[in-house]
Amino acid sequence: MLRAEGLSKRFGGLNAVQDVSFTQYEGEILAVIGPNGAGKTTLLNLLSGVYRPSAGRLHLLGQDVTDAPIEHRCWLGLGRAFQIVRPFPEMTVHENVTVGALFGQRGMTLPTARERAYDLLERTGLAAHADKAAHELTLLQDKRLEVARALATQPQVLLLDEVMAGLRPAEAQEAVSLVRSVRDSGISVLFIEHIMPVVRDLADRVVVMDQGQVLAQGTYREVTGNPQVVAAYLGTEAELQA
C-alpha cells in the first residue's frame, strides 16, 4: 500500500528524517513510535504531501507520488486525521463530514456526499450528534469526527497522528475499537502513538524511530524486546509493563 525508500527531510542543517525505508501491506495496521523529536510527524507530513522530501522516493498503491501534491494523494486513496482537530466549528457535525466527502474525491455530487456523511456518522458513533455544531462536541467526539472526515475522502490508506492523545483510558479503548473497525472495512492504517498499550493492542507491526532514523522494525514483541529500543524510548521493563 505504501513503500518509502530512503525518505529524508532536511530543514537547514537539521536532518529531521534521514534515510527512512519501510513497507506497509494491504490490510495492515502499522504503528510508528519513538521519543519526542524522533521525526514521526515529519514523516507523516512527507507521506501526506505537506512536505516534499529532500531525498528518497514514496510509492502509494504502486504509483510514485514523491512529487505529487496533497490533493492527488487524497484522490489516489490516502487519508489523514490530525492530532489537533480543527473542524469547522459553526458547521454541524454532518456538514463537516459532507465537506470531506465532497472534496475528497473528484466528481462527487452534493446529494451523494451528504448520504455518505450520514453513513460515516453511523459507523463512527456520531449519528445522534449529526445536527450539533462541531464546537459542542466532547474531545472523544471531536476525535471521532476527525476520523469520520478523513474516511469521507474514501481512503485505502489512513494516516492517524496520535488520535488517542488527551483521552482517558476508557475513551482510548473506544478509539481502539474504532480503528479496528476501520481496518476491518478494508482500509490499511498507519498511526503514530505514544501509549504503548494501544500500540500493543492495535499494531500488526511497529516501526521505531529515533533522531530521524528507523531504529527497529518488527512485531510489538520484537521491538519491545530490542535493547536499543528500550534504551532510546521505552525505559526499564517495569516502566514498559506499567
Side-chain angles (χ1 to χ4, degrees), residues 77-175:
L78 186 68
R80 180 175 178 180
F82 290 81
Q83 176 184 358
I84 300 174
V85 297
R86 291 194 178 100
F88 300 106
E90 301 304 325
M91 294 173 66
T92 67
V93 170
H94 177 250
E95 288 168 342
N96 267 271
V97 182
T98 299
V99 170
L102 190 61
F103 294 101
Q105 289 294 326
R106 289 172 288 193
M108 180 69 68
T109 65
L110 182 57
T112 301
R114 285 174 171 161
E115 182 178 355
R116 177 166 178 78
Y118 275 123
D119 289 343
L120 285 168
L121 293 180
E122 290 282 355
R123 283 177 56 190
T124 54
L126 289 172
H129 307 284
D131 296 324
K132 283 185 179 179
H135 68 79
E136 298 178 48
L137 298 182
T138 66
L139 178 60
L140 177 59
Q141 291 164 350
D142 267 338
K143 300 280 187 176
R144 288 180 176 271
L145 176 57
E146 182 72 2
V147 172
R149 293 202 303 172
L151 291 175
T153 68
Q154 301 181 54
Q156 295 187 57
V157 179
L158 179 63
L159 309 179
L160 303 176
D161 190 354
E162 295 196 52
V163 295
M164 314 291 177
L167 299 182
R168 296 188 294 270
E171 293 173 332
Q173 284 307 306
E174 287 187 48

Side-chain angles (χ1 to χ4, degrees), residues 18-205:
Q18 187 172 358
D19 196 27
V20 168
S21 298
F22 68 88
T23 299
Q24 180 176 24
Y25 300 100
E26 185 175 0
E28 183 175 54
I29 298 181
L30 183 66
V32 179
I33 68 172
N36 291 330
K40 303 182 299 297
T41 296
T42 300
L43 175 63
L44 252 63
N45 285 334
L46 290 171
L47 299 180
S48 59
V50 175
Y51 297 151
R52 299 289 175 87
S54 306
R57 310 301 300 176
L58 176 67
H59 291 81
L60 170 64
L61 302 173
Q63 295 191 33
D64 189 326
V65 294
T66 307
D67 298 316
I70 293 172
E71 65 271 18
H72 179 80
R73 299 178 199 212
C74 181
W75 296 333
L76 190 59
L78 186 68
R80 180 175 178 180
F82 290 81
Q83 176 184 358
I84 300 174
V85 297
R86 291 194 178 100
F88 300 106
E90 301 304 325
M91 294 173 66
T92 67
V93 170
H94 177 250
E95 288 168 342
N96 267 271
V97 182
T98 299
V99 170
L102 190 61
F103 294 101
Q105 289 294 326
R106 289 172 288 193
M108 180 69 68
T109 65
L110 182 57
T112 301
R114 285 174 171 161
E115 182 178 355
R116 177 166 178 78
Y118 275 123
D119 289 343
L120 285 168
L121 293 180
E122 290 282 355
R123 283 177 56 190
T124 54
L126 289 172
H129 307 284
D131 296 324
K132 283 185 179 179
H135 68 79
E136 298 178 48
L137 298 182
T138 66
L139 178 60
L140 177 59
Q141 291 164 350
D142 267 338
K143 300 280 187 176
R144 288 180 176 271
L145 176 57
E146 182 72 2
V147 172
R149 293 202 303 172
L151 291 175
T153 68
Q154 301 181 54
Q156 295 187 57
V157 179
L158 179 63
L159 309 179
L160 303 176
D161 190 354
E162 295 196 52
V163 295
M164 314 291 177
L167 299 182
R168 296 188 294 270
E171 293 173 332
Q173 284 307 306
E174 287 187 48
V176 165
S177 297
L178 176 59
V179 175
R180 283 202 188 109
S181 72
V182 169
R183 190 269 296 278
D184 292 345
S185 73
I187 299 171
S188 304
V189 177
L190 185 153
F191 73 104
I192 290 175
E193 188 52 68
H194 280 292
I195 305 172
M196 294 308 293
V198 169
V199 176
R200 178 197 61 209
D201 292 347
L202 270 181
D204 297 309
R205 285 190 306 121

Side-chain angles (χ1 to χ4, degrees), residues 215-226:
L215 183 62
Q217 300 188 49
T219 65
Y220 179 84
R221 182 182 295 272
E222 288 168 344
V223 300
T224 55
N226 184 316

